Amino acid sequence: RVPTPDAWLAAAAAQQDVLLIDHANCEKKAASTALSLLYRADTDPGSLAQLSRLAREELRHYEQVLAVLEERGIPLRPVSSSRYASGLRERVARSEPWRGMETLLVCALVEARSCERFDRLTGVLDPSLARFYGKLLASEARHFEHYLSAAQAAVTAADLEQAEYCQRLDRLLEAEAELVSAP
């Protein structure tokens, strides 16, 4: 609903070491989330294969970010996680059947925001790093689409109300916009 603020882009460009370390951590968390969803998934071979592929791709992205860190001589160090993803996860329902579907929606929103940020970063980073982020866009878009279609499939499979799904998605979109816009 809102673009990433220019202040975030300026901070990312000025602190590329933090950007890359945080990115590595996010890829690791994304792989862990995909594996967690794989364990909770139904037995549909198509869903299981997609989640497995997602986990592999996220781990591959983690390895790619590690290679960029090494190439640039940036040592890994602890950085605190942002309030963005944790703020979204706090808004996920605590019980099923909505918990699983909302987790998938949060994953979709995080991947969609990654697409938007990676695209915008290409305009503020050095050419090598801009190319790196440009190349990640296509897979992040696939991840977004997978999570969104999986959330819709979960609604259908559990025979949940489409109207309530739309309300829950709207609530998460509002929260996402607030988290992105807040200083």
Side-chain angles (χ1 to χ4, degrees), residues 40-137:
R40 292 183 2 207
D42 58 22
T43 56
D44 172 51
S47 295
L48 295 171
Q50 275 193 317
L51 286 167
S52 176
R53 197 168 27 257
L54 259 168
R56 271 194 318 275
E57 284 184 21
E58 299 293 11
L59 283 174
R60 180 65 188 127
H61 292 169
Y62 173 68
E63 292 168 350
Q64 290 170 333
V65 178
L66 288 179
V68 171
L69 285 165
E70 186 176 342
E71 175 184 298
R72 291 172 176 247
I74 301 170
L76 276 175
R77 66 178 191 281
V79 294
S80 60
S81 59
S82 73
R83 62 181 166 62
Y84 173 76
S86 61
L88 281 173
R89 286 195 176 95
E90 286 172 5
R91 289 163 171 87
V92 169
R94 300 283 184 242
S95 60
E96 296 299 348
W98 293 107
R99 179 176 171 245
M101 185 275 305
E102 288 186 359
T103 299
L104 291 166
L105 285 176
V106 165
C107 290
L109 292 174
V110 169
E111 296 290 345
R113 180 58 65 184
S114 294
C115 290
E116 187 259 355
R117 284 184 170 170
F118 290 178
D119 183 52
R120 296 202 58 209
L121 282 169
T122 62
V124 299
L125 299 175
D126 65 76
S128 173
L129 204 48
R131 273 190 306 280
F132 173 71
Y133 278 102
K135 288 179 182 176
L136 290 178
L137 270 170

